[in-house]
Amino acid sequence: MNCFSSVVMCLLFIIVDSITYSSVKNNYKEILRYYDSFDTVNSSTTITPIQDQTQAINVTMGMNMYALSGFDAVSGQIEIVGSLQMSWTNEVNLSSINTSTLEIYVMSVDAIWTPSIILVNAIDTVEKVGSSTYRPRYNISTGFVEWNPRVILKAACDPDVTYYPFDRQTCSFIFTPWNYNYDQVTLALSSSTIDTSQYDLNSAWSLVETNAETYISGENYYANFTITIQRQYMYFTINLVMPILLLSAITGFAFLLPAASNERIGFSITCFLAFVVLLQTVMQFLPESSSPMSLLCYYIVVMMMFSSAVCIINIMILRLYKSAERGDDVPKSLKTFVQIIQCTICRRWKESLTTEDKAELNVDWETVGRLLDIFFFIAFLAAQGGFTFLFLLPLGLRS
Ligand SMILES: *[C@@H]1O[C@H](CO)[C@@H](O)[C@H](O)[C@H]1NC(C)=O
Ligand SMILES: *[C@@H]1O[C@H](CO)[C@@H](O)[C@H](O)[C@H]1NC(C)=O
Ligand SMILES: *[C@@H]1O[C@H](CO)[C@@H](O)[C@H](O)[C@H]1NC(C)=O
Ligand SMILES: *[C@@H]1O[C@H](CO)[C@@H](O)[C@H](O)[C@H]1NC(C)=O
Ligand SMILES: *[C@@H]1O[C@H](CO)[C@@H](O)[C@H](O)[C@H]1NC(C)=O
Ligand SMILES: *[C@@H]1O[C@H](CO)[C@@H](O)[C@H](O)[C@H]1NC(C)=O
């Protein structure tokens, strides 16, 4: 037993010891010979490395995502840090290679055939992906080549801010071997998702799902890697949505200010202007696009309409109070209106009174003014509350 293991050890030693620099270098030369890389022309690195040139070479792609470095809704860009896994099998004649040396050879990108894959929807580059810093690993027993360059991908992504700040964005990274048609290079995927096992959490966006698929369009094969991200909405809820809701809540209270203090119009205008400021703030975060527009913008505009209506109605009511000072009579139409309101509001506990009785009741300007104040205060509060509920509840429920 002892003797046997020492013989094995010895054999191993011989094999390991005998992989010399020059034998490895010879193999490199042999590999490169098939690409004519020592010629002056170097054209062979563009021929697909398969024996039957009527067939396509099958490149398997995968993607690994390490970080989301940014999503800019205003300019419609997404940037991620990741790596691409590309692999293919070279069918070159390696019969003269000495297989008793190393199995894996790290090659220079320019010395062997590599698929010239580009990111179709890239924003900042038209070059092929994969810097020459990252080198393919060549397995000489099968001709299998693996190339995993790290990449920083900046792609165009059309933002959908309808549900801002509870929005989800879906962005695609579309790759294609630009110079080769689908009958020369085909793409396959190593997985139907993006590998996110080494993904670093982002504080502004959370990763919801990833997807990968291939398709043929026109003459080319495409690989489509998609990521879906969800905005972390807490920051915007506290700093943007809450102020808007609070401001909406106080607009209607203009009706409760004493008419004599002359503060009502100033208060309404201040509310209106505060909405303008909040609208400007929201617009900073949104693209200048009309389709689709953010529901939050519509909400603010409707609230601005409410506050201008508050302003106009208050001017009318203040005129009523002034009429009282002039000692005019309450017009018949206004009396009827007041009666209708009184009837509606107080029907339950004033059932004993008949309409005729009330017509004879003393309806003076003071009563009319106070009644209208209360009526409009409740009406506005209810309308705004109902509108807010209808508008923001579905928005919030998406999160
Ligand atoms: C193949 O490589 C082994 C180990 O480096 C060496 O011993 C052997 O002579 C080589 N064979 C040829 C034909 O070069
Ligand atoms: C051919 O490739 C070699 C090695 O990569 C390089 O040194 C040489 O400049 C290339 N020749 C041409 C004409 O591109
Ligand atoms: C390419 O390779 C993948 C997996 O390696 C395989 O599923 C697919 O059938 C191959 N496609 C072609 C056209 O050979
Ligand atoms: C591979 O190359 C060797 C010599 O380099 C040659 O003898 C052999 O016929 C070739 N095989 C094929 C299938 O072309
Ligand atoms: C090279 O390819 C062979 C055949 O597929 C495989 O058995 C071997 O493990 C590979 N070598 C390495 C270092 O991956
Ligand atoms: C990429 O895939 C996503 C998700 O499947 C899909 O929505 C999108 O339309 C695809 N893009 C293209 C250009 O096919």
Side-chain angles (χ1 to χ4, degrees), residues 32 36-43 45 108 110-111:
L32 294 179
D36 296 335
S37 289
F38 293 144
D39 287 3
T40 48
V41 179
N42 292 353
S43 61
T45 56
S108 158
D110 308 316

Side-chain angles (χ1 to χ4, degrees), residues 170-174 211-213 215 222-228:
T170 299
C171 297
S172 296
F173 297 89
I174 298 165
N211 182 49
E213 61 191 27
Y215 63 95
Y222 291 87
N224 176 2
F225 293 90
T226 310
I227 66 171
T228 304

Side-chain angles (χ1 to χ4, degrees), residues 28-281:
Y28 266 103
K29 281 187 179 167
E30 282 303 318
I31 294 171
L32 294 179
R33 210 161 53 78
Y34 294 100
Y35 296 104
D36 296 335
S37 289
F38 293 144
D39 287 3
T40 48
V41 179
N42 292 353
S43 61
S44 301
T45 56
T46 61
I47 301 174
T48 51
I50 43 174
Q51 289 303 327
D52 183 355
Q53 286 287 316
T54 62
Q55 297 293 306
I57 186 165
N58 193 2
V59 175
T60 304
M61 280 186 77
M63 190 163 141
N64 211 321
M65 182 169 164
Y66 303 130
L68 172 71
S69 35
F71 176 81
D72 187 350
V74 179
S75 52
Q77 316 187 339
I78 185 168
E79 189 175 307
I80 67 167
V81 181
S83 69
L84 281 186
Q85 278 93 50
M86 292 178 259
S87 57
W88 61 94
T89 303
N90 280 3
E91 280 179 17
V92 292
N93 184 349
L94 294 170
S95 62
S96 52
I97 275 191
N98 188 342
T99 48
S100 54
T101 66
L102 290 182
E103 198 167 32
I104 297 290
Y105 289 79
V106 175
M107 308 301 295
S108 158
V109 170
D110 308 316
I112 63 167
W113 181 86
T114 49
S116 49
I117 290 199
I118 60 146
L119 177 60
V120 179
N121 55 342
I123 277 184
D124 59 345
T125 179
V126 290
E127 303 280 315
K128 70 170 186 176
V129 293
S131 134
S132 55
T133 310
Y134 305 98
R135 298 186 155 180
R137 288 164 65 81
Y138 198 119
N139 183 335
I140 55 157
S141 37
T142 49
F144 183 74
V145 185
E146 257 186 314
W147 187 31
N148 303 339
R150 277 180 76 99
V151 284
I152 295 175
L153 300 171
K154 201 171 185 183
C157 180
D158 194 19
D160 178 356
V161 292
T162 314
Y163 298 104
Y164 173 87
F166 304 101
D167 50 336
R168 266 183 189 197
Q169 305 294 343
T170 299
C171 297
S172 296
F173 297 89
I174 298 165
F175 298 95
T176 186
W178 187 260
N179 305 309
Y180 299 95
N181 291 351
Y182 60 79
D183 53 5
Q184 291 175 296
V185 176
T186 62
L187 293 182
L189 295 169
S190 53
S191 155
S192 63
T193 56
I194 297 175
D195 183 352
T196 51
S197 54
Q198 296 171 62
Y199 178 68
D200 251 351
L201 289 180
N202 184 290
S203 59
W205 295 90
S206 54
L207 192 62
V208 179
E209 59 173 1
T210 63
N211 182 49
E213 61 191 27
T214 57
Y215 63 95
I216 298 176
S217 168
E219 297 272 275
N220 288 86
Y221 240 97
Y222 291 87
N224 176 2
F225 293 90
T226 310
I227 66 171
T228 304
I229 52 178
Q230 160 109 47
R231 197 187 292 273
Q232 309 263 31
Y233 52 83
M234 213 51 190
Y235 173 85
F236 294 96
T237 309
I238 300 285
N239 296 304
L240 216 51
V241 179
M242 282 310 284
I244 291 169
L245 290 182
L246 294 175
L247 190 61
S248 319
I250 63 174
T251 318
F253 281 81
F255 292 109
L256 295 191
L257 282 173
S261 72
N262 281 333
E263 289 287 334
R264 290 188 176 195
I265 308 303
F267 181 80
S268 310
I269 294 290
T270 310
C271 285
F272 186 85
L273 291 179
F275 274 123
V276 173
V277 172
L278 284 174
L279 186 62
Q280 293 288 336
T281 314

